[in-house]
Amino acid sequence: MTDREKRARLREILNDPNGAIAPGVTDALFARLAQDCGYAATHLSGNAIHKNFCLPDRNLLTTTQIAQRIGQISEATDIPLIVDGGSICAETLALTRAVKLYERAGAAAIRFEDALVNEYGAAPEELAIAPISVVVEQIKAAADARRDSSLVLIARCDSRPSESLDQVSERLTEYAEAGADAVGVQLTDIEDFRKIGAKAPAPIVTLWPKGQLSASDFFSMGFRIALTPSSIPLAATTAAREMLFELMQAGNDRKYFARQKEFSATEAWYKKLGSARKQH
């Protein structure tokens, strides 16, 4: 599947009321695993990729490093990749350069947030949010920087802790009118999710309160793509940690693998990696 075909597929997902879960991935291996487990899209989150480099999520990776990872994932998979582009309030030249690099690397979508760059790592209630006019101009600049108009731009609003829900809705409308193909929101209250989902000006791509709502319930409220930034790396490192301790203590890992009900299928999948484009 070409990059353009992946972007077209993502736009189909955004228009599908059934919705889709996009697991967070950090590299080609996990992205391919998500694809071969049947997921329709994946998400390269800023938090997950920083943890993959053993770094705090503080915007420490360069656009070139992220673009390299996007390229590796895109080459290994045939499903759309949603890329976390960080704050849209970077210097305009840096923003447009990132759009061009990520598009060329194979991103199907780039997701930006309206919190200011120097607020990375701050608690939600402490985030400084950019004025609407600034975000709107940056969205327009990002849209103009695309070589392929099918590249999806997602604008996320983080202002709910400091603004009313009506103000959040106003921001989302302005972002969509400026050229965002989809929007996202950082919310915690279920009723807020319900109200935003009922009147969103564009398809919504965002994290969902997994502890309170199933994905199907979330989609029924009007949301299109549910993001899970760290579930895969957390599951993988938990399993690896358990195996490593057992290997150290027992001097053997065979009993560990014997307990894993998916081991045989996973081992067969792992051995075939690289020999075929698609595996199921």
Side-chain angles (χ1 to χ4, degrees):
M1 185 178 289
T2 67
D3 293 341
R4 185 180 286 268
E5 289 171 337
K6 292 176 187 177
R7 292 163 190 154
R9 175 63 188 126
L10 183 61
R11 287 179 179 271
E12 291 176 356
I13 295 170
L14 291 173
N15 288 316
D16 185 349
N18 290 320
I21 297 174
V25 299
T26 54
D27 51 34
L29 177 66
F30 285 149
R32 180 63 169 270
L33 179 61
Q35 170 187 298
D36 291 350
C37 285
Y39 286 88
T42 56
H43 172 223
L44 182 62
S45 80
N47 181 270
I49 191 173
H50 274 79
K51 297 299 184 184
N52 191 249
F53 278 81
C54 299
L55 294 171
D57 185 9
R58 297 289 188 274
N59 196 34
L60 298 175
L61 298 177
T62 67
T63 52
T64 301
Q65 287 175 302
I66 295 172
Q68 288 174 337
R69 188 60 60 89
I70 295 168
Q72 293 163 358
I73 293 171
S74 298
E75 183 179 1
T77 57
D78 287 316
I79 58 176
L81 176 66
I82 300 167
V83 176
D84 186 345
S87 173
I88 201 167
C89 300
E91 199 276 328
T92 303
L93 185 59
L95 172 70
T96 57
R97 178 173 179 267
V99 170
K100 292 174 182 177
L101 282 174
Y102 296 170
E103 177 185 333
R104 190 158 59 243
I110 309 174
R111 183 175 64 86
F112 294 107
E113 58 211 43
D114 57 9
L116 297 176
V117 173
N118 62 359
E119 295 297 322
Y120 277 98
E125 62 274 9
E126 297 174 355
L127 285 175
I129 307 299
I132 293 177
S133 59
V134 172
V135 181
V136 163
E137 289 306 309
Q138 292 292 84
I139 291 172
K140 291 178 179 178
D144 289 342
R146 292 180 294 194
R147 304 286 178 84
D148 180 0
S149 60
S150 66
L151 175 69
V152 174
L153 296 179
I154 305 167
R156 190 184 85 189
C157 177
D158 290 352
S159 72
R160 182 64 180 105
S162 59
E163 294 185 341
S164 69
L165 200 62
D166 285 342
Q167 288 174 305
V168 171
S169 294
E170 179 186 355
R171 280 181 175 272
L172 296 180
T173 298
E174 293 271 6
Y175 297 171
E177 291 177 352
D181 304 291
V183 294
V185 284
Q186 289 285 79
L187 302 173
T188 56
D189 184 80
I190 297 298
E191 193 56 33
D192 280 359
F193 276 110
R194 196 179 311 280
K195 290 177 179 177
I196 288 293
K199 57 179 180 180
I204 312 177
V205 177
T206 198
L207 283 74
W208 92 97
K210 293 180 286 184
Q212 303 176 69
L213 288 175
S214 68
S216 59
D217 288 339
F218 192 60
F219 299 140
S220 71
M221 294 165 61
F223 296 84
R224 290 294 178 264
I225 297 180
L227 306 175
T228 61
S230 299
S231 294
I232 292 178
L234 276 174
T237 50
T238 298
R241 183 183 175 93
E242 181 183 349
M243 184 277 294
L244 287 168
F245 278 128
E246 185 165 325
L247 177 61
M248 179 185 293
Q249 293 163 6
N252 192 296
D253 59 9
R254 292 299 91 189
K255 290 183 179 179
Y256 169 82
F257 286 117
R259 296 196 304 270
Q260 310 306 313
K261 65 179 183 180
E262 285 292 320
F263 176 68
S264 294
T266 302
E267 184 180 41
W269 174 86
Y270 191 81
K271 287 180 177 179
K272 292 179 181 177
L273 273 176
S275 62
R277 181 68 172 180
K278 291 183 179 179
Q279 299 163 19
H280 299 282

